[in-house]
């Protein structure tokens, strides 16, 4: 069990050092880390500066928090996320999300690279999440409940905020960016799925597949945050194209959507002013 009181004390220390409370939290997915460079950064520190914190071990994930401003809105950006397949417990995986909640983050933008299952999706598409299926990974809230964060049995009927989705759709429209909507399914990874697993996921109602996000959304929802999930389709899911899946391909494809994502994130922050 992580020492949350210690985490609260640490958050207080950081808050007094940076002098503001971030309102928006942003988690950047594979290959999207450079968006953090666009933040008017005030303070940066590595996850492992906090004792007992997990460290991102994946290529393309820097493993640091960047505090600063986007469109004059105070934000904290998690440049690189922690994945369950790295060997951490689910509680450890969502620690940075909980840290952001303790720091005062009210709105969370979760981005990720995902495989497209829905036949209407193309590589390069941006998809706003309407819901998720996390049944195939352990629930991050398993353990003693942290009452200061949220209730024991949180409702998950509306994990992804509909109003935020509408705002994103509007910003996308204004900037000529096409966005789609869909349901994300999280598997543990690190191996990509088999074609049979993808057929199963499709039968269960999933449009996108990935190895993150749903667990973070659960922890964030538990802590009372408003959440927007944004996937970038970096590849057709297993069995849906002749191409072999590789992390390099995913990272390269992800890089190509950075501009679109940056426009959406920055446009969104502008609406909060
Ligand atoms: N499967 C799982 N995770 C992913 C994929 C995929 O096809 N693409 C990007 N992340």
């Amino acid at each position: 069990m992580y020492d949350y009181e210690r985490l609260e004390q640490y958050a207080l220390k950081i808050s007094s050092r940076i002098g503001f409370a971030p309102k928006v939290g942003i988690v950047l997915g594979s290959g999207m880390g450079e968006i953090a460079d666009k933040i008017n950064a005030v303070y940066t520190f590595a996850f492992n500066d906090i004792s007992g914190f997990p460290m991102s071990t994946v290529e393309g994930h820097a493993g640091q928090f960047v505090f600063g401003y986007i469109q004059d809105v105070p934000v904290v950006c998690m440049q690189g996320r922690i994945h369950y397949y790295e060997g951490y417990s689910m509680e450890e995986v969502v620690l940075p999300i909980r840290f952001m909640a303790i720091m005062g983050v009210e709105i969370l933008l979760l981005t990720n690279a995902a495989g497209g299952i829905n036949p209407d999706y193309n590589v390069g598409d941006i998809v706003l999440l309407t819901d998720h299926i996390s049944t195939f990974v352990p629930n991050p809230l398993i353990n003693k409940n942290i009452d200061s964060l949220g209730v024991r049995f949180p409702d998950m009927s509306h994990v992804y905020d509909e109003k935020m989705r509408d705002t994103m759709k509007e910003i996308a429209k204004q900037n000529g960016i096409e966005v789609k909507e869909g349901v994300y399914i999280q598997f543990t990874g690190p191996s990509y799925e088999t074609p049979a697993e993808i057929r199963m996921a499709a039968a269960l109602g999933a449009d996108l597949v990935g190895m993150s996000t749903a667990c973070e959304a659960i922890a964030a929802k538990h802590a009372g945050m408003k959440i927007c999930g944004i996937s970038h389709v970096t590849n057709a899911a297993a069995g849906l194209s002749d191409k072999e899946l590789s992390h390099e391909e995913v990272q390269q494809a992800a890089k190509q959507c950075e501009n679109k994502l940056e426009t959406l994130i920055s446009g969104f922050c502008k609406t909060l002013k």
Side-chain angles (χ1 to χ4, degrees), residues 46-218:
F47 297 162
N48 61 356
D49 281 356
I50 308 179
S51 75
F53 233 62
M55 189 63 195
S56 176
T57 62
V58 191
E59 210 176 298
H61 287 261
Q64 60 181 11
F65 286 111
V66 180
F67 290 84
Y69 293 88
I70 297 180
Q71 299 282 350
D72 293 332
V73 175
V75 304
V76 54
C77 182
M78 197 176 144
Q79 198 177 18
R81 52 155 53 94
I82 310 297
H83 297 85
Y84 184 61
Y85 61 72
E86 292 174 79
Y88 296 111
S89 71
M90 264 307 178
E91 194 188 10
E92 287 173 308
V93 168
V94 302
L95 257 179
I97 306 294
R98 290 180 150 177
F99 177 66
M100 288 197 262
I102 293 169
M103 288 291 296
V105 168
E106 296 163 12
I107 293 168
L108 187 65
L109 305 180
L110 294 172
T111 71
N112 63 52
I117 299 176
N118 187 322
D120 292 339
Y121 293 171
N122 301 303
V123 170
D125 278 353
I126 301 266
V127 182
L128 301 174
L129 304 192
T130 55
D131 205 346
H132 71 225
I133 300 170
S134 71
T135 323
F136 296 91
V137 299
N139 192 298
L141 308 183
I142 292 174
N143 212 335
K144 192 171 173 292
N145 187 50
I146 314 298
D147 295 334
S148 57
L149 285 176
V151 297
R152 173 75 293 190
F153 301 107
D155 179 65
M156 292 286 148
S157 305
H158 304 278
V159 176
Y160 302 92
D161 191 78
E162 207 171 328
K163 269 198 196 139
M164 262 171 90
R165 210 154 61 233
D166 286 344
T167 307
M168 282 297 183
K169 281 193 259 184
E170 189 53 40
I171 296 162
K173 203 167 135 194
Q174 284 164 8
N175 289 280
I177 298 170
E178 189 194 3
V179 288
K180 294 178 177 170
E181 291 182 297
V183 174
Y184 179 94
I185 190 165
Q186 180 176 359
F187 289 126
T188 64
S191 53
Y192 287 109
E193 302 71 32
T194 63
E197 284 162 346
I198 292 302
R199 288 194 297 277
M200 172 193 74
L204 294 177
D207 298 298
L208 299 144
V209 58
M211 305 174 192
S212 65
T213 305
C215 57
E216 296 163 346
I218 293 171

